[in-house]
Amino acid sequence: MTKILDVQNLKVDFSTYNGVVHAIRNVSFHLNEGETLALVGESGSGKSITVRTLIQLLANNANIVDGTIDFQGKDLLKSSRKEMNNIRGHDISMIFQDPMTSLDPTMPIWKQVAEPLFLHSKISKSEAKSKALKVLKKVGIPNAEERMKDYPHQFSGGQRQRIVIAMAIVDDPKILIADEPTTALDVTVQAQIVDLLKDLQKETNTSIIFITHDLGVVAGIADRVAVMYAGKIVEYGNVDDIFYNPRHPYTWGLLDSMPTIDLKKDRLNTIPGTPPDLINPPDGDAFSARNKYALEVDRKEQPPFFKVTDGHYAATWLLDKRAPKVTPPESIQERFKKFAKIVGDENARS
């Protein structure tokens, strides 16, 4: 497959009153044409900062310390502000989590959907309006022609998210970044939005980076998955690797904490403890303090990536040939089987 995006050794710091926060620490990944890559992990693991760095939508106190972001042969970190303005919304678009903060309450929706066209294309008002109508119909806005002049507050939450998706795809981007686009929606609407993105991808061959903490959503949309913790990627592989054969204890914990329909306990399983302070990151494995399987070396030295299979890697000393053999508890293995079935069912429907 052809790489459309290649990120290498990305480091991002934030200057705060308490000190420098090392938010992104040597993150590397790539995105292929026409595929969906999911970035998953707890809140604060660095998912959103990573993708915002791609299009340089960072706060003023952010500092990109190192790395390269190769987009079709061009390093975006060396691009001028004018070049990035041309790339954002045209080549790379982003769907944000809360549509109400992405939409202007004072503008009718057709103008907001057409705005990228006015910014990036020499297009007349009538042409822009016609294309806005076409894309609003494509994302499933009912009676789109009659509702083009309506304002955001006149639509439901799911419809507003569809409008935001229309804004992101109206100029036919090569990469679509979806930052937790289903989090604020109920389960039924979540499924509709995921199906919509999959259908749009099949139609346009757009590459998608999908950010979420919901592994159930990942099963339904992703081709490959990168698991993030404390500003680093700790495991990556295709969706079957992550659901059938996860190898990092943090991935085990994420899967084990997901609710299932036959849950018979009053409380969900959780990962004990809290993520480390990234003002003073630990010398060893950042997950070691929360990892019941941690080895002595975990507290002293960061693990490299160990190859599990082609395309599947995990950064845990448990995969070192000198480490004792550790397998997840039976309860977690049962959870893997349930999620494996979800993946199989989703693939069967696709």
Side-chain angles (χ1 to χ4, degrees):
M1 298 181 72
T2 303
K3 290 183 184 179
I4 192 171
L5 184 75
D6 191 14
V7 178
Q8 293 294 324
N9 303 317
L10 188 63
K11 296 181 182 178
V12 181
D13 291 348
F14 285 84
S15 299
T16 71
Y17 290 114
N18 295 323
V20 176
V21 177
H22 305 287
I24 303 299
R25 306 184 297 141
N26 272 340
V27 164
S28 299
F29 65 91
H30 71 274
L31 179 68
N32 295 318
E33 289 184 354
E35 78 163 350
T36 298
L37 171 68
L39 294 183
V40 304
E42 295 169 293
S43 296
S45 59
K47 308 182 299 296
S48 294
I49 297 301
T50 297
V51 295
R52 284 174 176 267
T53 305
L54 302 182
I55 51 178
Q56 298 181 33
L57 280 181
L58 294 172
N60 291 333
N61 64 334
N63 178 31
I64 302 173
V65 178
D66 196 10
T68 60
I69 301 173
D70 186 301
F71 172 63
Q72 296 188 318
K74 182 178 183 61
D75 187 355
L76 298 184
L77 295 182
K78 295 180 180 178
S79 299
S80 66
R81 180 178 293 183
K82 182 178 180 180
E83 288 173 325
M84 286 307 304
N85 285 340
N86 289 330
I87 290 171
R88 278 192 300 263
H90 176 61
D91 292 313
I92 305 176
S93 287
M94 190 162 180
I95 304 167
F96 295 94
Q97 179 175 345
D98 184 1
M100 281 306 284
T101 60
S102 304
L103 296 171
D104 187 334
T106 68
M107 288 177 62
I109 62 163
W110 84 263
K111 286 187 177 180
Q112 299 188 59
V113 171
E115 188 171 13
L117 300 174
F118 292 128
L119 290 174
H120 300 294
S121 309
K122 293 181 179 179
I123 191 169
S124 68
K125 181 178 177 180
S126 61
E127 290 174 318
K129 197 169 186 178
S130 176
K131 188 160 188 181
L133 174 59
K134 182 179 178 181
V135 77
L136 284 169
K137 288 180 178 178
K138 183 183 292 187
V139 300
I141 297 298
N143 304 314
E145 193 161 7
E146 291 78 15
R147 304 208 64 187
M148 286 180 66
K149 294 182 180 180
D150 287 349
Y151 292 82
H153 72 274
Q154 295 173 279
F155 294 85
S156 68
Q159 289 173 337
R160 286 194 291 265
Q161 192 62 282
R162 290 172 183 269
I163 293 167
V164 171
I165 292 172
M167 291 169 59
I169 67 170
V170 69
D171 208 18
D172 303 317
K174 297 178 177 68
I175 296 176
L176 186 62
I177 299 170
D179 189 357
E180 304 215 36
T182 63
T183 299
L185 306 174
D186 65 59
V187 176
T188 302
V189 180
Q190 278 187 14
Q192 292 172 358
I193 295 300
V194 168
D195 288 343
L196 171 61
L197 290 173
K198 289 164 67 175
D199 290 342
L200 292 171
Q201 185 178 49
K202 288 178 183 177
E203 183 179 333
T204 63
N205 201 40
T206 302
S207 303
I208 298 176
I209 300 176
F210 194 95
I211 302 170
T212 185
H213 60 268
D214 187 339
L215 289 171
V217 173
V218 170
I221 195 169
D223 298 301
R224 289 188 301 119
V225 181
V227 182
M228 292 195 71
Y229 182 75
K232 297 174 75 74
I233 291 176
V234 297
E235 183 167 9
Y236 64 90
N238 65 46
V239 70
D240 288 348
D241 293 331
I242 300 303
F243 282 87
Y244 284 86
N245 188 33
R247 302 304 295 271
H248 198 287
Y250 179 61
T251 312
W252 296 349
L254 290 178
L255 286 165
D256 196 36
S257 64
M258 291 292 294
T260 59
I261 196 167
D262 59 347
L263 187 69
K264 294 181 173 62
K265 296 186 298 183
D266 292 333
R267 294 189 179 188
L268 295 174
N269 294 330
T270 61
I271 302 174
T274 57
D277 178 5
L278 292 185
I279 293 178
N280 297 297
D283 293 330
D285 184 355
F287 189 59
S288 62
R290 306 173 71 187
N291 180 10
K292 64 182 290 186
Y293 309 103
L295 307 172
E296 187 63 30
V297 67
D298 282 307
R299 297 173 176 84
K300 300 176 181 178
E301 189 175 345
Q302 294 184 23
F305 275 107
F306 292 91
K307 181 178 179 180
V308 182
T309 60
D310 287 342
H312 183 194
Y313 294 81
T316 171
W317 285 114
L318 292 176
L319 293 176
D320 190 285
K321 61 183 179 181
R322 297 164 294 180
K325 182 174 176 58
V326 173
T327 56
E330 287 187 13
S331 62
I332 300 180
Q333 293 183 44
E334 286 300 315
R335 189 67 62 98
F336 294 165
K337 292 177 184 177
K338 290 184 176 69
F339 279 100
K341 185 177 186 302
I342 292 173
V343 175
D345 291 345
E346 290 292 342
N347 289 341
R349 283 196 292 267
S350 298

